[in-house]
Amino acid sequence: MNVEARIENAGRIDYDAPYRMSINGEMVGATETFDVTNPATGKVFAQAPAGSREQLDQAVAAAKAAQPGWAALPWERRSAYITAYADALQAHREDIVTLLTTEQGKPRHSMASTEVDYAIYWVREVAMRQLREEILEDTDDHVVKVVHTPLGVVGAITPWNFPILLGLWKVAPCLITGNTMVMKPSPYTPLGTLRFGEIAQQVLPPGVLNIVSGGNEQGQWLTEHPDVSKISFTGSTATGKKVMASSSGNLKRVTLELGGNDPAVLLPGTDYQAILPTLFDAAFGNSGQWCIATKRVYVHESQHADFVRDFVELARTKTVGDGMDPATDLGPIQNTMQYDKLKALLADVRAQGYKVPLGGTIDESLEGNFVPVTIVDDPPEDSRIVREEPFGPILPILSYRDVDDAVHRANDTDFGLAASVWGPDRAAAIEVANRIEAGTVWVNEIHIHGIDIPFGGHKQSGMGVENGQEGLQEFTNTKTLMFHK
Ligand code: NAD
């Protein structure tokens, strides 16, 4: 079927139909299924197929068989397919947003809508990007040219916090560069990914994008599979290390987008009133379940007490609730594993006697995994709440005396994902930003991303980047061509 005929078909997804995996262009179930729970109600609302190892092997075989034909298409043809995929996703936008809220928890009217819109925009834009060739030398008798060739089959493994966006962030650059893919979403949020796989089957040739679902063991199978050439992984640092180890069998390329403990450093004299709402969203958006959420705020001692008072006042106005309710600002914690982790972290905060001017106690009589907005005032630098990535709506606000000390504390971590520096003197703030050890540092702004802006972590926050030319290149081999004229 050609690309035009495929897009014609793309309106036909039955949202009440059972969830199926995409293998070689077919929608397939599995002998076993597993529960998917709505985190706002605690109720199981769907079953997802628990794919077997044999099915994972079939998906990899389909991707392998499809890859040479897909790579042989002119770049413009692949681009047309991926643009058609963006159109098909757009046609299903409303349903995907609702599904995302139902399985992930984030508010439908804000974060879920933004995630889906952004993901579709990303697919559409990446379809228009090209990988640049480089002529390094062109003399009278010799040419040196660098080109980028596809790797083959890419295995993609995604987390539960932004399942649609982070999934499609991998799909578009992987496919445009001539690779095919087998993707495995988190078992906590498999449904949106299964649906975007189903939509893909109506637009893309069979085998180009395969989606399997199941438990963590599927991730392990994918990383050790001899016919997979690269793993593109987003998830925790602990799992990232396992991925790297088990990818070594055939020396897979790995891109690891891992955890973070991002500091925000407010330099003395920052007009903090002007940025309070931005900082609140930076820390508490998606209920803090965000790799690049601001997870520690350092405020100069001359402003610290006022900042805490005003931040608490703003935070007090926010509503935690079911993401389907338009009055909700922050949804539930996506799963009970994470909810229990936050409960333990809050118990530690209480046991240590830290000051908690807002929140701090979970109402366990509620049906969903709701955690209140919690602010911890100036806990010690070596406390768990400062050292660990909470991945929830709990924020420590720390006081510092001199800027060198703030920079030292901001850097005193194994993480190095992102950071922000705020201050009245832009040049001074940029100087501080230059000293922060992180893959992305924003100055007097935060959470700006772009198709052409590479994103990746330093230290144990990751390896490699996504987005930009570098991100595209990570789905390719570098090949040097030299010839005599
Ligand atoms: P996780 O590491 O528990 O799981 C991520 C994925 O890995 C899931 O699909 C899971 O099934 C799979 N997996 C589990 N064990 C595996 C194994 N042994 N081999 C292969 N795959 C395996 O992470 P999570 O809890 O889903 O996500 C939260 C984490 O992700 C946080 O640490 C967060 O900071 C990080 N994250 C990072 C980024 C980034 O871009 N740097 C973005 C989002 C989330």
Side-chain angles (χ1 to χ4, degrees), residues 157-161 166 184-187 216 219-220 223 233-236 239 242-243 257-260 291 295 337 389 391 417 455 461:
I157 302 174
T158 54
W160 46 261
N161 61 337
L166 296 175
K184 184 212 89 64
S186 166
N216 292 341
Q220 171 83 23
T223 54
F233 173 82
T234 305
S236 63
T239 310
K242 292 186 195 163
V243 167
E257 296 287 1
L258 309 177
C291 55
K295 293 175 183 136
M337 176 273 298
E389 179 188 36
F391 226 59
L417 190 56
F455 171 75
S461 284

PDB file of all heavy atoms in Angstrom, residues 157-161 166 184-187 216 219-220 223 233-236 239 242-243 257-260 291 295 337 389 391 417 455 461, ligand 1:
ATOM      1  N   ILE A 157      13.556   1.423  24.703  1.00  0.00           N
ATOM      2  CA  ILE A 157      12.964   1.087  26.011  1.00  0.00           C
ATOM      3  C   ILE A 157      12.601   2.396  26.692  1.00  0.00           C
ATOM      4  O   ILE A 157      13.447   3.288  26.816  1.00  0.00           O
ATOM      5  CB  ILE A 157      13.972   0.279  26.867  1.00  0.00           C
ATOM      6  CG1 ILE A 157      14.389  -0.998  26.110  1.00  0.00           C
ATOM      7  CG2 ILE A 157      13.374  -0.059  28.224  1.00  0.00           C
ATOM      8  CD1 ILE A 157      15.486  -1.802  26.805  1.00  0.00           C
ATOM      9  N   THR A 158      11.348   2.524  27.109  1.00  0.00           N
ATOM     10  CA  THR A 158      10.875   3.831  27.607  1.00  0.00           C
ATOM     11  C   THR A 158      10.301   3.732  29.030  1.00  0.00           C
ATOM     12  O   THR A 158       9.880   2.660  29.465  1.00  0.00           O
ATOM     13  CB  THR A 158       9.799   4.410  26.656  1.00  0.00           C
ATOM     14  OG1 THR A 158       8.759   3.445  26.493  1.00  0.00           O
ATOM     15  CG2 THR A 158      10.395   4.752  25.305  1.00  0.00           C
ATOM     16  N   PRO A 159      10.282   4.868  29.737  1.00  0.00           N
ATOM     17  CA  PRO A 159       9.762   4.897  31.110  1.00  0.00           C
ATOM     18  C   PRO A 159       8.286   5.298  31.155  1.00  0.00           C
ATOM     19  O   PRO A 159       7.664   5.522  30.110  1.00  0.00           O
ATOM     20  CB  PRO A 159      10.633   5.976  31.749  1.00  0.00           C
ATOM     21  CG  PRO A 159      10.850   6.965  30.649  1.00  0.00           C
ATOM     22  CD  PRO A 159      10.843   6.198  29.352  1.00  0.00           C
ATOM     23  N   TRP A 160       7.765   5.451  32.361  1.00  0.00           N
ATOM     24  CA  TRP A 160       6.335   5.681  32.529  1.00  0.00           C
ATOM     25  C   TRP A 160       5.961   7.144  32.721  1.00  0.00           C
ATOM     26  O   TRP A 160       4.795   7.473  32.877  1.00  0.00           O
ATOM     27  CB  TRP A 160       5.781   4.858  33.704  1.00  0.00           C
ATOM     28  CG  TRP A 160       6.617   4.925  34.959  1.00  0.00           C
ATOM     29  CD1 TRP A 160       7.521   3.982  35.369  1.00  0.00           C
ATOM     30  CD2 TRP A 160       6.659   5.965  35.944  1.00  0.00           C
ATOM     31  NE1 TRP A 160       8.122   4.379  36.550  1.00  0.00           N
ATOM     32  CE2 TRP A 160       7.608   5.588  36.924  1.00  0.00           C
ATOM     33  CE3 TRP A 160       5.992   7.178  36.108  1.00  0.00           C
ATOM     34  CZ2 TRP A 160       7.902   6.374  38.037  1.00  0.00           C
ATOM     35  CZ3 TRP A 160       6.292   7.967  37.212  1.00  0.00           C
ATOM     36  CH2 TRP A 160       7.224   7.561  38.156  1.00  0.00           C
ATOM     37  N   ASN A 161       6.949   8.051  32.776  1.00  0.00           N
ATOM     38  CA  ASN A 161       6.572   9.432  33.124  1.00  0.00           C
ATOM     39  C   ASN A 161       6.094  10.259  31.940  1.00  0.00           C
ATOM     40  O   ASN A 161       5.180  11.065  32.079  1.00  0.00           O
ATOM     41  CB  ASN A 161       7.718  10.127  33.877  1.00  0.00           C
ATOM     42  CG  ASN A 161       8.995  10.226  33.080  1.00  0.00           C
ATOM     43  OD1 ASN A 161       9.212   9.445  32.143  1.00  0.00           O
ATOM     44  ND2 ASN A 161       9.827  11.163  33.424  1.00  0.00           N
ATOM     45  N   LEU A 166       8.424  10.562  25.024  1.00  0.00           N
ATOM     46  CA  LEU A 166       9.754   9.950  24.999  1.00  0.00           C
ATOM     47  C   LEU A 166       9.800   8.787  24.010  1.00  0.00           C
ATOM     48  O   LEU A 166      10.852   8.509  23.421  1.00  0.00           O
ATOM     49  CB  LEU A 166      10.149   9.506  26.409  1.00  0.00           C
ATOM     50  CG  LEU A 166      10.294  10.674  27.401  1.00  0.00           C
ATOM     51  CD1 LEU A 166      10.557  10.172  28.809  1.00  0.00           C
ATOM     52  CD2 LEU A 166      11.402  11.634  26.973  1.00  0.00           C
ATOM     53  N   LYS A 184       9.746  -1.208  23.450  1.00  0.00           N
ATOM     54  CA  LYS A 184       9.111  -1.816  24.621  1.00  0.00           C
ATOM     55  C   LYS A 184       8.807  -0.719  25.636  1.00  0.00           C
ATOM     56  O   LYS A 184       9.713  -0.144  26.225  1.00  0.00           O
ATOM     57  CB  LYS A 184      10.072  -2.832  25.241  1.00  0.00           C
ATOM     58  CG  LYS A 184       9.464  -3.573  26.384  1.00  0.00           C
ATOM     59  CD  LYS A 184      10.466  -3.953  27.446  1.00  0.00           C
ATOM     60  CE  LYS A 184      10.647  -2.906  28.496  1.00  0.00           C
ATOM     61  NZ  LYS A 184       9.462  -2.621  29.308  1.00  0.00           N
ATOM     62  N   PRO A 185       7.527  -0.398  25.830  1.00  0.00           N
ATOM     63  CA  PRO A 185       7.198   0.637  26.825  1.00  0.00           C
ATOM     64  C   PRO A 185       7.264   0.080  28.243  1.00  0.00           C
ATOM     65  O   PRO A 185       7.362  -1.131  28.454  1.00  0.00           O
ATOM     66  CB  PRO A 185       5.750   0.991  26.465  1.00  0.00           C
ATOM     67  CG  PRO A 185       5.193  -0.250  25.841  1.00  0.00           C
ATOM     68  CD  PRO A 185       6.343  -0.955  25.160  1.00  0.00           C
ATOM     69  N   SER A 186       7.174   0.997  29.207  1.00  0.00           N
ATOM     70  CA  SER A 186       7.124   0.571  30.608  1.00  0.00           C
ATOM     71  C   SER A 186       5.865  -0.257  30.849  1.00  0.00           C
ATOM     72  O   SER A 186       4.795   0.065  30.336  1.00  0.00           O
ATOM     73  CB  SER A 186       7.087   1.812  31.508  1.00  0.00           C
ATOM     74  OG  SER A 186       6.710   1.438  32.815  1.00  0.00           O
ATOM     75  N   PRO A 187       5.954  -1.306  31.664  1.00  0.00           N
ATOM     76  CA  PRO A 187       4.746  -2.088  31.980  1.00  0.00           C
ATOM     77  C   PRO A 187       3.698  -1.270  32.738  1.00  0.00           C
ATOM     78  O   PRO A 187       2.528  -1.660  32.792  1.00  0.00           O
ATOM     79  CB  PRO A 187       5.272  -3.236  32.841  1.00  0.00           C
ATOM     80  CG  PRO A 187       6.682  -2.911  33.183  1.00  0.00           C
ATOM     81  CD  PRO A 187       7.174  -1.860  32.240  1.00  0.00           C
ATOM     82  N   ASN A 216       9.649  -6.285  32.760  1.00  0.00           N
ATOM     83  CA  ASN A 216      11.026  -5.819  32.619  1.00  0.00           C
ATOM     84  C   ASN A 216      11.903  -6.815  31.864  1.00  0.00           C
ATOM     85  O   ASN A 216      12.881  -6.436  31.218  1.00  0.00           O
ATOM     86  CB  ASN A 216      11.636  -5.578  34.002  1.00  0.00           C
ATOM     87  CG  ASN A 216      10.978  -4.402  34.699  1.00  0.00           C
ATOM     88  OD1 ASN A 216      10.338  -3.566  34.054  1.00  0.00           O
ATOM     89  ND2 ASN A 216      11.117  -4.346  36.009  1.00  0.00           N
ATOM     90  N   GLY A 219      12.784  -6.086  28.379  1.00  0.00           N
ATOM     91  CA  GLY A 219      13.881  -5.131  28.181  1.00  0.00           C
ATOM     92  C   GLY A 219      15.206  -5.875  28.154  1.00  0.00           C
ATOM     93  O   GLY A 219      16.069  -5.631  27.303  1.00  0.00           O
ATOM     94  N   GLN A 220      15.334  -6.801  29.077  1.00  0.00           N
ATOM     95  CA  GLN A 220      16.549  -7.629  29.152  1.00  0.00           C
ATOM     96  C   GLN A 220      16.741  -8.414  27.839  1.00  0.00           C
ATOM     97  O   GLN A 220      17.817  -8.429  27.264  1.00  0.00           O
ATOM     98  CB  GLN A 220      16.383  -8.582  30.348  1.00  0.00           C
ATOM     99  CG  GLN A 220      17.420  -9.656  30.486  1.00  0.00           C
ATOM    100  CD  GLN A 220      18.668  -9.140  31.185  1.00  0.00           C
ATOM    101  OE1 GLN A 220      18.602  -8.161  31.920  1.00  0.00           O
ATOM    102  NE2 GLN A 220      19.791  -9.774  30.916  1.00  0.00           N
ATOM    103  N   THR A 223      17.898  -6.124  25.081  1.00  0.00           N
ATOM    104  CA  THR A 223      19.284  -5.638  25.194  1.00  0.00           C
ATOM    105  C   THR A 223      20.292  -6.745  24.890  1.00  0.00           C
ATOM    106  O   THR A 223      21.403  -6.463  24.467  1.00  0.00           O
ATOM    107  CB  THR A 223      19.576  -5.060  26.595  1.00  0.00           C
ATOM    108  OG1 THR A 223      19.237  -6.039  27.577  1.00  0.00           O
ATOM    109  CG2 THR A 223      18.788  -3.804  26.851  1.00  0.00           C
ATOM    110  N   PHE A 233      17.648   4.012  25.296  1.00  0.00           N
ATOM    111  CA  PHE A 233      16.996   3.752  26.590  1.00  0.00           C
ATOM    112  C   PHE A 233      16.725   5.049  27.341  1.00  0.00           C
ATOM    113  O   PHE A 233      17.611   5.896  27.454  1.00  0.00           O
ATOM    114  CB  PHE A 233      17.907   2.863  27.441  1.00  0.00           C
ATOM    115  CG  PHE A 233      17.410   2.657  28.855  1.00  0.00           C
ATOM    116  CD1 PHE A 233      16.449   1.697  29.142  1.00  0.00           C
ATOM    117  CD2 PHE A 233      17.888   3.452  29.905  1.00  0.00           C
ATOM    118  CE1 PHE A 233      15.980   1.531  30.452  1.00  0.00           C
ATOM    119  CE2 PHE A 233      17.426   3.286  31.207  1.00  0.00           C
ATOM    120  CZ  PHE A 233      16.474   2.324  31.473  1.00  0.00           C
ATOM    121  N   THR A 234      15.534   5.201  27.862  1.00  0.00           N
ATOM    122  CA  THR A 234      15.252   6.269  28.823  1.00  0.00           C
ATOM    123  C   THR A 234      14.675   5.630  30.071  1.00  0.00           C
ATOM    124  O   THR A 234      13.686   4.876  29.996  1.00  0.00           O
ATOM    125  CB  THR A 234      14.262   7.304  28.248  1.00  0.00           C
ATOM    126  OG1 THR A 234      14.770   7.795  27.010  1.00  0.00           O
ATOM    127  CG2 THR A 234      14.078   8.471  29.199  1.00  0.00           C
ATOM    128  N   GLY A 235      15.280   5.925  31.200  1.00  0.00           N
ATOM    129  CA  GLY A 235      14.807   5.337  32.459  1.00  0.00           C
ATOM    130  C   GLY A 235      15.776   5.677  33.570  1.00  0.00           C
ATOM    131  O   GLY A 235      16.524   6.662  33.485  1.00  0.00           O
ATOM    132  N   SER A 236      15.783   4.855  34.602  1.00  0.00           N
ATOM    133  CA  SER A 236      16.587   5.186  35.780  1.00  0.00           C
ATOM    134  C   SER A 236      18.062   4.847  35.559  1.00  0.00           C
ATOM    135  O   SER A 236      18.404   4.009  34.714  1.00  0.00           O
ATOM    136  CB  SER A 236      16.059   4.404  36.986  1.00  0.00           C
ATOM    137  OG  SER A 236      16.217   3.023  36.741  1.00  0.00           O
ATOM    138  N   THR A 239      18.780   1.048  36.132  1.00  0.00           N
ATOM    139  CA  THR A 239      18.467   0.166  34.993  1.00  0.00           C
ATOM    140  C   THR A 239      19.410   0.457  33.828  1.00  0.00           C
ATOM    141  O   THR A 239      19.812  -0.465  33.104  1.00  0.00           O
ATOM    142  CB  THR A 239      17.000   0.342  34.550  1.00  0.00           C
ATOM    143  OG1 THR A 239      16.160   0.246  35.688  1.00  0.00           O
ATOM    144  CG2 THR A 239      16.580  -0.731  33.561  1.00  0.00           C
ATOM    145  N   LYS A 242      22.340  -1.685  33.920  1.00  0.00           N
ATOM    146  CA  LYS A 242      22.071  -3.071  33.486  1.00  0.00           C
ATOM    147  C   LYS A 242      21.989  -3.137  31.967  1.00  0.00           C
ATOM    148  O   LYS A 242      22.455  -4.089  31.344  1.00  0.00           O
ATOM    149  CB  LYS A 242      20.734  -3.559  34.082  1.00  0.00           C
ATOM    150  CG  LYS A 242      20.763  -3.736  35.573  1.00  0.00           C
ATOM    151  CD  LYS A 242      19.450  -4.346  36.034  1.00  0.00           C
ATOM    152  CE  LYS A 242      19.284  -4.196  37.520  1.00  0.00           C
ATOM    153  NZ  LYS A 242      17.908  -4.389  37.975  1.00  0.00           N
ATOM    154  N   VAL A 243      21.356  -2.118  31.381  1.00  0.00           N
ATOM    155  CA  VAL A 243      21.206  -2.085  29.919  1.00  0.00           C
ATOM    156  C   VAL A 243      22.588  -2.077  29.263  1.00  0.00           C
ATOM    157  O   VAL A 243      22.852  -2.813  28.316  1.00  0.00           O
ATOM    158  CB  VAL A 243      20.388  -0.838  29.488  1.00  0.00           C
ATOM    159  CG1 VAL A 243      20.495  -0.596  27.987  1.00  0.00           C
ATOM    160  CG2 VAL A 243      18.926  -0.996  29.908  1.00  0.00           C
ATOM    161  N   GLU A 257      19.406   7.842  28.495  1.00  0.00           N
ATOM    162  CA  GLU A 257      18.862   9.075  29.091  1.00  0.00           C
ATOM    163  C   GLU A 257      18.357   8.696  30.470  1.00  0.00           C
ATOM    164  O   GLU A 257      17.335   8.016  30.603  1.00  0.00           O
ATOM    165  CB  GLU A 257      17.707   9.619  28.227  1.00  0.00           C
ATOM    166  CG  GLU A 257      18.114  10.054  26.824  1.00  0.00           C
ATOM    167  CD  GLU A 257      18.915  11.351  26.782  1.00  0.00           C
ATOM    168  OE1 GLU A 257      19.192  11.925  27.861  1.00  0.00           O
ATOM    169  OE2 GLU A 257      19.276  11.784  25.683  1.00  0.00           O
ATOM    170  N   LEU A 258      19.091   9.122  31.507  1.00  0.00           N
ATOM    171  CA  LEU A 258      18.845   8.555  32.844  1.00  0.00           C
ATOM    172  C   LEU A 258      18.344   9.592  33.846  1.00  0.00           C
ATOM    173  O   LEU A 258      17.860  10.646  33.461  1.00  0.00           O
ATOM    174  CB  LEU A 258      20.123   7.871  33.327  1.00  0.00           C
ATOM    175  CG  LEU A 258      20.735   6.874  32.317  1.00  0.00           C
ATOM    176  CD1 LEU A 258      22.036   6.285  32.838  1.00  0.00           C
ATOM    177  CD2 LEU A 258      19.750   5.770  31.966  1.00  0.00           C
ATOM    178  N   GLY A 259      18.492   9.279  35.097  1.00  0.00           N
ATOM    179  CA  GLY A 259      17.923  10.126  36.148  1.00  0.00           C
ATOM    180  C   GLY A 259      18.676  11.441  36.335  1.00  0.00           C
ATOM    181  O   GLY A 259      19.745  11.661  35.763  1.00  0.00           O
ATOM    182  N   GLY A 260      18.092  12.313  37.129  1.00  0.00           N
ATOM    183  CA  GLY A 260      18.719  13.596  37.400  1.00  0.00           C
ATOM    184  C   GLY A 260      18.370  14.076  38.801  1.00  0.00           C
ATOM    185  O   GLY A 260      17.452  13.551  39.444  1.00  0.00           O
ATOM    186  N   CYS A 291      12.422  13.767  34.633  1.00  0.00           N
ATOM    187  CA  CYS A 291      13.881  13.653  34.791  1.00  0.00           C
ATOM    188  C   CYS A 291      14.500  15.025  35.015  1.00  0.00           C
ATOM    189  O   CYS A 291      15.410  15.172  35.819  1.00  0.00           O
ATOM    190  CB  CYS A 291      14.490  12.966  33.574  1.00  0.00           C
ATOM    191  SG  CYS A 291      14.083  13.741  32.020  1.00  0.00           S
ATOM    192  N   LYS A 295      14.917  19.751  41.238  1.00  0.00           N
ATOM    193  CA  LYS A 295      14.772  18.885  42.415  1.00  0.00           C
ATOM    194  C   LYS A 295      15.444  19.448  43.658  1.00  0.00           C
ATOM    195  O   LYS A 295      15.314  18.898  44.743  1.00  0.00           O
ATOM    196  CB  LYS A 295      15.289  17.479  42.079  1.00  0.00           C
ATOM    197  CG  LYS A 295      14.381  16.798  41.039  1.00  0.00           C
ATOM    198  CD  LYS A 295      14.864  15.458  40.560  1.00  0.00           C
ATOM    199  CE  LYS A 295      13.915  14.926  39.490  1.00  0.00           C
ATOM    200  NZ  LYS A 295      14.562  14.361  38.342  1.00  0.00           N
ATOM    201  N   MET A 337       4.670   1.593  43.268  1.00  0.00           N
ATOM    202  CA  MET A 337       6.100   1.447  43.615  1.00  0.00           C
ATOM    203  C   MET A 337       6.680   2.832  43.937  1.00  0.00           C
ATOM    204  O   MET A 337       7.336   3.035  44.956  1.00  0.00           O
ATOM    205  CB  MET A 337       6.811   0.800  42.413  1.00  0.00           C
ATOM    206  CG  MET A 337       8.304   0.642  42.496  1.00  0.00           C
ATOM    207  SD  MET A 337       9.253   2.068  41.930  1.00  0.00           S
ATOM    208  CE  MET A 337       8.811   2.230  40.220  1.00  0.00           C
ATOM    209  N   GLU A 389      17.004  11.329  43.989  1.00  0.00           N
ATOM    210  CA  GLU A 389      16.022  11.855  43.031  1.00  0.00           C
ATOM    211  C   GLU A 389      14.642  11.432  43.531  1.00  0.00           C
ATOM    212  O   GLU A 389      14.283  10.258  43.445  1.00  0.00           O
ATOM    213  CB  GLU A 389      16.273  11.230  41.651  1.00  0.00           C
ATOM    214  CG  GLU A 389      15.295  11.689  40.597  1.00  0.00           C
ATOM    215  CD  GLU A 389      15.416  10.920  39.264  1.00  0.00           C
ATOM    216  OE1 GLU A 389      15.689   9.704  39.282  1.00  0.00           O
ATOM    217  OE2 GLU A 389      15.183  11.545  38.223  1.00  0.00           O
ATOM    218  N   PHE A 391      11.561  12.121  42.479  1.00  0.00           N
ATOM    219  CA  PHE A 391      10.616  11.792  41.407  1.00  0.00           C
ATOM    220  C   PHE A 391       9.180  11.865  41.918  1.00  0.00           C
ATOM    221  O   PHE A 391       8.365  10.961  41.769  1.00  0.00           O
ATOM    222  CB  PHE A 391      10.915  10.399  40.833  1.00  0.00           C
ATOM    223  CG  PHE A 391      10.906  10.383  39.337  1.00  0.00           C
ATOM    224  CD1 PHE A 391      11.744  11.183  38.600  1.00  0.00           C
ATOM    225  CD2 PHE A 391      10.017   9.569  38.638  1.00  0.00           C
ATOM    226  CE1 PHE A 391      11.724  11.187  37.214  1.00  0.00           C
ATOM    227  CE2 PHE A 391       9.976   9.566  37.255  1.00  0.00           C
ATOM    228  CZ  PHE A 391      10.844  10.378  36.541  1.00  0.00           C
ATOM    229  N   LEU A 417      22.263  15.890  34.870  1.00  0.00           N
ATOM    230  CA  LEU A 417      21.338  15.967  33.737  1.00  0.00           C
ATOM    231  C   LEU A 417      21.148  17.418  33.282  1.00  0.00           C
ATOM    232  O   LEU A 417      21.508  17.787  32.174  1.00  0.00           O
ATOM    233  CB  LEU A 417      19.997  15.324  34.121  1.00  0.00           C
ATOM    234  CG  LEU A 417      19.024  15.107  32.970  1.00  0.00           C
ATOM    235  CD1 LEU A 417      19.643  14.277  31.858  1.00  0.00           C
ATOM    236  CD2 LEU A 417      17.736  14.440  33.451  1.00  0.00           C
ATOM    237  N   PHE A 455      20.239  17.021  23.633  1.00  0.00           N
ATOM    238  CA  PHE A 455      19.878  16.873  25.047  1.00  0.00           C
ATOM    239  C   PHE A 455      20.446  15.552  25.561  1.00  0.00           C
ATOM    240  O   PHE A 455      20.213  14.494  24.975  1.00  0.00           O
ATOM    241  CB  PHE A 455      18.346  16.878  25.187  1.00  0.00           C
ATOM    242  CG  PHE A 455      17.876  16.528  26.572  1.00  0.00           C
ATOM    243  CD1 PHE A 455      17.982  17.453  27.604  1.00  0.00           C
ATOM    244  CD2 PHE A 455      17.350  15.270  26.857  1.00  0.00           C
ATOM    245  CE1 PHE A 455      17.577  17.134  28.892  1.00  0.00           C
ATOM    246  CE2 PHE A 455      16.930  14.941  28.142  1.00  0.00           C
ATOM    247  CZ  PHE A 455      17.041  15.886  29.157  1.00  0.00           C
ATOM    248  N   SER A 461      23.997  10.599  34.682  1.00  0.00           N
ATOM    249  CA  SER A 461      22.675  10.916  34.123  1.00  0.00           C
ATOM    250  C   SER A 461      22.556  10.462  32.681  1.00  0.00           C
ATOM    251  O   SER A 461      21.511  10.669  32.069  1.00  0.00           O
ATOM    252  CB  SER A 461      22.400  12.420  34.210  1.00  0.00           C
ATOM    253  OG  SER A 461      22.081  12.774  35.539  1.00  0.00           O
TER     254      SER A 461
HETATM  255  P1  NAD B   1      13.100   2.224  35.010  1.00  0.00           P
HETATM  256  O1  NAD B   1      14.569   2.251  34.804  1.00  0.00           O
HETATM  257  O2  NAD B   1      12.561   1.500  36.166  1.00  0.00           O
HETATM  258  O3  NAD B   1      12.369   1.610  33.728  1.00  0.00           O
HETATM  259  C1  NAD B   1      12.568   2.130  32.437  1.00  0.00           C
HETATM  260  C2  NAD B   1      12.317   1.044  31.421  1.00  0.00           C
HETATM  261  O4  NAD B   1      13.311   0.024  31.550  1.00  0.00           O
HETATM  262  C3  NAD B   1      10.974   0.337  31.547  1.00  0.00           C
HETATM  263  O5  NAD B   1      10.443   0.122  30.255  1.00  0.00           O
HETATM  264  C4  NAD B   1      11.347  -0.984  32.191  1.00  0.00           C
HETATM  265  O6  NAD B   1      10.438  -2.033  31.918  1.00  0.00           O
HETATM  266  C5  NAD B   1      12.685  -1.253  31.545  1.00  0.00           C
HETATM  267  N1  NAD B   1      13.554  -2.193  32.271  1.00  0.00           N
HETATM  268  C6  NAD B   1      13.513  -2.535  33.582  1.00  0.00           C
HETATM  269  N2  NAD B   1      14.497  -3.415  33.870  1.00  0.00           N
HETATM  270  C7  NAD B   1      15.186  -3.615  32.714  1.00  0.00           C
HETATM  271  C8  NAD B   1      16.328  -4.379  32.362  1.00  0.00           C
HETATM  272  N3  NAD B   1      16.977  -5.142  33.261  1.00  0.00           N
HETATM  273  N4  NAD B   1      16.782  -4.334  31.090  1.00  0.00           N
HETATM  274  C9  NAD B   1      16.170  -3.548  30.179  1.00  0.00           C
HETATM  275  N5  NAD B   1      15.072  -2.808  30.446  1.00  0.00           N
HETATM  276  C10 NAD B   1      14.589  -2.835  31.705  1.00  0.00           C
HETATM  277  O7  NAD B   1      12.670   3.749  34.995  1.00  0.00           O
HETATM  278  P2  NAD B   1      11.212   4.356  35.264  1.00  0.00           P
HETATM  279  O8  NAD B   1      10.938   4.213  36.727  1.00  0.00           O
HETATM  280  O9  NAD B   1      10.254   3.814  34.276  1.00  0.00           O
HETATM  281  O10 NAD B   1      11.442   5.894  34.890  1.00  0.00           O
HETATM  282  C11 NAD B   1      11.861   6.839  35.807  1.00  0.00           C
HETATM  283  C12 NAD B   1      13.338   7.154  35.636  1.00  0.00           C
HETATM  284  O11 NAD B   1      13.580   7.560  34.298  1.00  0.00           O
HETATM  285  C13 NAD B   1      13.788   8.319  36.499  1.00  0.00           C
HETATM  286  O12 NAD B   1      15.058   8.030  37.058  1.00  0.00           O
HETATM  287  C14 NAD B   1      13.912   9.460  35.498  1.00  0.00           C
HETATM  288  O13 NAD B   1      14.789  10.495  35.893  1.00  0.00           O
HETATM  289  C15 NAD B   1      14.358   8.745  34.281  1.00  0.00           C
HETATM  290  N6  NAD B   1      14.058   9.522  33.082  1.00  0.00           N
HETATM  291  C16 NAD B   1      15.085  10.076  32.375  1.00  0.00           C
HETATM  292  C17 NAD B   1      14.828  10.868  31.265  1.00  0.00           C
HETATM  293  C18 NAD B   1      15.936  11.510  30.480  1.00  0.00           C
HETATM  294  O14 NAD B   1      15.687  11.946  29.363  1.00  0.00           O
HETATM  295  N7  NAD B   1      17.151  11.588  31.012  1.00  0.00           N
HETATM  296  C19 NAD B   1      13.514  11.069  30.869  1.00  0.00           C
HETATM  297  C20 NAD B   1      12.489  10.488  31.606  1.00  0.00           C
HETATM  298  C21 NAD B   1      12.777   9.700  32.703  1.00  0.00           C
END
